[in-house]
Amino acid sequence: MEKNDRISPAVIRRLPKYYRYLGELNKVGVNKTSSRELSDMTGFSASQIRQDLNNFGGFGQQGFGYDVGNLRNEIGKILGLDKKYKIIIVGAGNIGQAIANYTGFYEADYEVVALFDKNPKLIGLSIRNALIMDSDDLEEFLKKEHIDIAVICTPKSVSQQVAEQLVRCGIRAIWNFAPKDLKMPEDVYVENVHLNESLFSLTYYYNKMKKESK
Amino acid sequence: MEKNDRISPAVIRRLPKYYRYLGELNKVGVNKTSSRELSDMTGFSASQIRQDLNNFGGFGQQGFGYDVGNLRNEIGKILGLDKKYKIIIVGAGNIGQAIANYTGFYEADYEVVALFDKNPKLIGLSIRNALIMDSDDLEEFLKKEHIDIAVICTPKSVSQQVAEQLVRCGIRAIWNFAPKDLKMPEDVYVENVHLNESLFSLTYYYNKMKKESK
DNA sequence: AAATAATAGAGAAATTTTTCACAATATTTA
DNA sequence: TAAATATTGTGAAAAATTTCTCTATTATTT
């Protein structure tokens, strides 16, 4: 599908945004759009949007624009949103539970299959059809079930060790919420959500703005 | 403090990571480091680290390296972590509660002062000393209390309207967890945590890896 | 004390990313 | 039907970011 094997991460980060806005257009019955219109919605430049899309081939028509449904589909295929994914969450504390309850993934076919925790008070409870299981049963579980994505919501002190266990059991995609960088083999992809780093950046810009407005 | 007024966002995003690793070195009693060592820890190139730090002035000593405690302090000052910040959370659902309970901010002085929600079952409860209050009392609350940062954890359907209300009441920094881009005046800084976009990117790289390993 | 090794700082080069500019093509209007 | 308008795709230019290279400086070793 790709024209080019190596697509810049910056491009990949923008695709989900295009996908979301195309979904919104779709919902309100708009079935034609343009890089100009997408630019107004997303804040990215029209030229950048065209360049981004052209990494994957020409989805538009010169002189006309883009078909909303088609373009959304194509971006979905590029991202892999046309497939199903099974997820487990390791660490059923606040963040783990919040992820399990999160409904913002509805646009695609992700299923949280189970959560794992050491806390006996949590084991046995269910969140939206997903059972919270004993962490000790994690390896056995992974031997039986094919899981695509593991979410790490444990304390940072055990995150590395949990990640290694997951990788030993065949996991190749990790969504890491622990505020620590995981040292992983090359064939494991880790997507970090480092909330403290996000808050620290926010803090920088908040202070910068305050200084400038004085 | 800054040599240069306009620092690239990419640099700012790396600073929290330097700060975290310097904290770790500090904790284990290491008080001297080098761009080389920081490179090994963070994965950024030594040269990039030196360039980054030089945006703000020379914190190291040629031939010697960097003083861990001093450098950490300086980065902390750049980010503004030497000050106190009061936070409110709007939307006390799963994510709002998770943020209120999150202890990963311990490195700095953030205080969650209150949460706001419409749900009568939640109003009156407390999370770590922060009371969940009625959303209807938000404006009055903000008139009385000085709040630095507002966290939006509402459904996306009301996120824009909530943001506008916050801005009317003087809020200038928003940490947005709703999967929607907020249209805000220039003097309001919005830091987005778009979990679905993060998961979609992860999905792309997961599929890419699978293809390549075949 | 001199030589060696390690390291930051900084300008320059290389690379990457974004924007520009325009030809090609489709639609709409006169 | 012809002219005007809108829009993509794309190569080139511009801008931004990262890496390279070297000098100056410090600490360590001989």
Side-chain angles (χ1 to χ4, degrees), chain A residues 34-35 51 54 60 62-63:
Chain A
S34 66
S35 58
Q51 286 278 11
N54 266 78
Q62 286 185 338

Side-chain angles (χ1 to χ4, degrees), chain A residues 5-64:
Chain A
D5 187 41
R6 144 83 191 158
I7 309 279
S8 145
V11 174
I12 302 303
R13 300 266 154 212
R14 286 189 290 265
L15 294 182
K17 196 151 287 198
Y18 302 149
Y19 188 78
R20 175 154 57 81
Y21 279 103
L22 289 164
E24 287 178 15
L25 287 174
N26 223 2
K27 209 183 286 173
V28 297
V30 176
N31 49 26
K32 178 196 155 181
T33 189
S34 66
S35 58
R36 167 79 180 284
E37 186 177 38
L38 288 170
S39 170
D40 290 342
M41 289 193 293
T42 62
F44 304 129
S45 77
S47 156
Q48 181 166 63
I49 292 169
R50 292 201 300 277
Q51 286 278 11
D52 282 357
L53 298 176
N54 266 78
N55 281 299
F56 305 97
F59 301 132
Q61 200 156 17
Q62 286 185 338
F64 176 77

Side-chain angles (χ1 to χ4, degrees), chain A residues 15-195:
Chain A
L15 294 182
K17 196 151 287 198
Y18 302 149
Y19 188 78
R20 175 154 57 81
Y21 279 103
L22 289 164
E24 287 178 15
L25 287 174
N26 223 2
K27 209 183 286 173
V28 297
V30 176
N31 49 26
K32 178 196 155 181
T33 189
S34 66
S35 58
R36 167 79 180 284
E37 186 177 38
L38 288 170
S39 170
D40 290 342
M41 289 193 293
T42 62
F44 304 129
S45 77
S47 156
Q48 181 166 63
I49 292 169
R50 292 201 300 277
Q51 286 278 11
D52 282 357
L53 298 176
N54 266 78
N55 281 299
F56 305 97
F59 301 132
Q61 200 156 17
Q62 286 185 338
F64 176 77
Y66 300 93
D67 178 89
V68 170
N70 176 250
L71 182 56
R72 180 161 183 273
N73 256 313
E74 291 292 342
I75 294 176
K77 271 196 271 177
I78 292 165
L79 291 170
L81 304 183
D82 53 337
K83 296 180 198 138
K84 266 191 142 176
Y85 301 96
K86 294 204 171 184
I87 297 181
I88 61 164
I89 297 172
V90 187
N94 295 295
I95 294 190
Q97 290 187 28
I99 300 297
N101 274 304
Y102 192 58
T103 54
F105 311 139
Y106 65 92
E107 285 160 300
D109 214 342
Y110 298 96
E111 184 194 356
V112 175
V113 175
L115 295 91
F116 291 87
D117 207 292
K118 279 195 152 19
N119 185 343
K121 285 182 190 162
L122 294 173
I123 295 167
L125 299 179
S126 277
I127 299 177
R128 292 180 181 256
N129 297 326
L131 186 65
I132 303 181
M133 299 174 68
D134 192 324
S135 294
D136 291 342
D137 299 335
L138 175 59
E139 298 206 8
E140 202 185 354
F141 180 89
L142 286 173
K143 271 178 203 155
K144 279 186 261 171
E145 302 273 336
H146 172 76
I147 296 298
D148 298 285
I149 299 165
V151 189
I152 295 187
C153 299
T154 65
K156 67 173 178 175
S157 53
V158 296
S159 58
Q160 177 66 35
Q161 149 195 349
V162 164
E164 285 168 12
Q165 187 183 30
L166 290 166
V167 169
R168 271 201 310 279
C169 298
I171 292 292
R172 289 294 172 270
I174 292 176
W175 203 17
N176 175 40
F177 285 77
K180 189 146 193 274
D181 297 317
L182 302 172
K183 280 178 190 166
M184 290 281 116
E186 283 234 327
D187 65 339
V188 176
Y189 184 77
V190 179
E191 168 87 14
N192 290 303
V193 181
H194 285 167
L195 295 179

Side-chain angles (χ1 to χ4, degrees), chain B residues 34-35 51 54 58 60 62-63 66:
Chain B
S34 66
S35 58
Q51 286 278 15
N54 265 79
Q62 285 183 339
Y66 299 94

